């Protein structure tokens, strides 16, 4: 199996934010930012795998700071984890006021991408060469996110879910449970 360094597939893009990308509140539309993030995730994953890639899932999309019209947005992407045919691409979004030079962290997110080969079937991707403590941490965090997601799916599987086991946990929340009597 081939192995590649994280640096060999790192991608960075910068784009000026235009009024045509603003929402009704005058800030850059979150959907537009997500579209750019999907594009850079594709580029990064394709660069690592040497294959066409598709988005399988997106984790942790928190919009931390708004992006203003006229700011320069920079997105940095790197492969944080590889499986057999999947890769987790970490993306950091920053914006810069080009007049003052002030930068702010706007978003960090994780895109799971799958490499596709002939006839659209998943294809094996190169392994990952990890060179420092931060890269080890990112790889491990990707494993933990995957395990947590798998555990959540099992715990809340509709065929085995028992609402009675969880009613106590809902106390203190702004919810009123009115279940039909069986």
């Amino acid at each position: 199996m081939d192995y590649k360094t994280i640096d060999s597939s790192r991608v960075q893009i910068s784009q000026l934010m235009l009024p045509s990308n603003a929402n009704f509140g005058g800030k850059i539309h979150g959907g537009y930012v997500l579209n750019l993030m999907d594009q850079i995730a594709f580029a990064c994953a394709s660069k690592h795998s040497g294959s066409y890639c598709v988005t399988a899932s997106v984790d942790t999309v928190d919009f931390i700071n708004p992006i203003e019209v006229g700011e320069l947005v920079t997105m940095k992407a790197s492969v944080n984890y590889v499986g057999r045919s999947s890769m987790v691409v970490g993306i950091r979004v920053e914006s810069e006021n080009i007049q003052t030079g002030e930068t702010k962290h706007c978003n960090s997110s994780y895109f799971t991408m799958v490499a596709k080969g002939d006839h659209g079937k998943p294809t094996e991707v190169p392994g990952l060469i990890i060179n420092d403590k931060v890269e080890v941490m990112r790889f491990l965090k990707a494993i933990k996110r995957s395990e947590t997601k798998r555990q959540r799916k099992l715990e809340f599987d509709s065929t085995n879910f028992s609402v009675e086991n969880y009613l106590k946990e809902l106390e203190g929340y702004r919810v009123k449970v009115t279940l039909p009597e069986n």
Side-chain angles (χ1 to χ4, degrees):
M1 176 187 343
D2 276 351
Y3 287 84
K4 289 185 174 181
T5 64
I6 291 171
D7 284 342
S8 69
S9 59
R10 242 181 249 283
V11 177
Q12 179 173 315
I13 60 171
S14 294
Q15 186 168 330
L16 185 65
M17 295 295 105
L18 303 174
S20 60
N21 306 124
N23 61 23
F24 295 116
K27 310 296 184 203
I28 298 304
H29 195 284
Y32 179 71
V33 175
L34 284 170
N35 179 45
L36 292 175
M37 293 171 74
D38 192 47
Q39 290 177 40
I40 194 170
F42 167 82
C44 183
S46 295
K47 192 173 178 182
H48 179 81
S49 67
S51 302
Y52 175 75
C53 295
V54 295
T55 306
S57 70
V58 180
D59 287 326
T60 318
V61 180
D62 294 323
F63 294 97
I64 301 164
N65 287 299
I67 300 171
E68 308 288 337
V69 170
E71 289 184 330
L72 184 66
V73 167
T74 299
M75 296 185 181
K76 301 171 186 176
S78 63
V79 175
N80 291 353
Y81 168 88
V82 296
R84 193 188 71 73
S85 62
S86 66
M87 297 151 281
V88 173
V89 176
I91 303 169
R92 181 177 173 93
V93 180
E94 297 175 342
S95 67
E96 178 184 3
N97 180 314
I98 56 178
Q99 293 162 337
T100 67
E102 179 188 348
T103 62
K104 59 189 175 188
H105 177 210
C106 300
N107 186 335
S108 288
S109 191
Y110 306 97
F111 280 59
T112 300
M113 308 297 289
V114 176
K116 298 288 187 163
D118 297 335
H119 310 293
K121 302 283 186 207
T123 188
E124 193 167 348
V125 301
L128 206 55
I129 298 171
I130 296 178
N131 289 313
D132 64 35
K133 183 178 169 181
V134 171
E135 292 174 356
V136 170
M137 181 185 67
R138 288 177 178 164
F139 194 94
L140 289 168
K141 284 173 67 176
I143 292 170
K144 292 292 184 188
R145 275 192 308 278
S146 179
E147 289 172 355
T148 301
K149 187 176 186 178
R150 190 175 13 260
Q151 182 59 37
R152 189 172 48 246
K153 279 184 178 181
L154 286 172
E155 183 177 356
F156 293 101
D157 179 342
S158 63
T159 58
N160 297 321
F161 181 74
S162 172
V163 78
E164 290 78 19
N165 294 341
Y166 293 92
L167 287 176
K168 191 86 170 147
E169 290 186 33
L170 295 176
E171 291 176 8
Y173 288 94
R174 294 179 48 95
V175 61
K176 183 178 182 180
V177 180
T178 57
L179 298 174
E181 300 284 330
N182 286 348

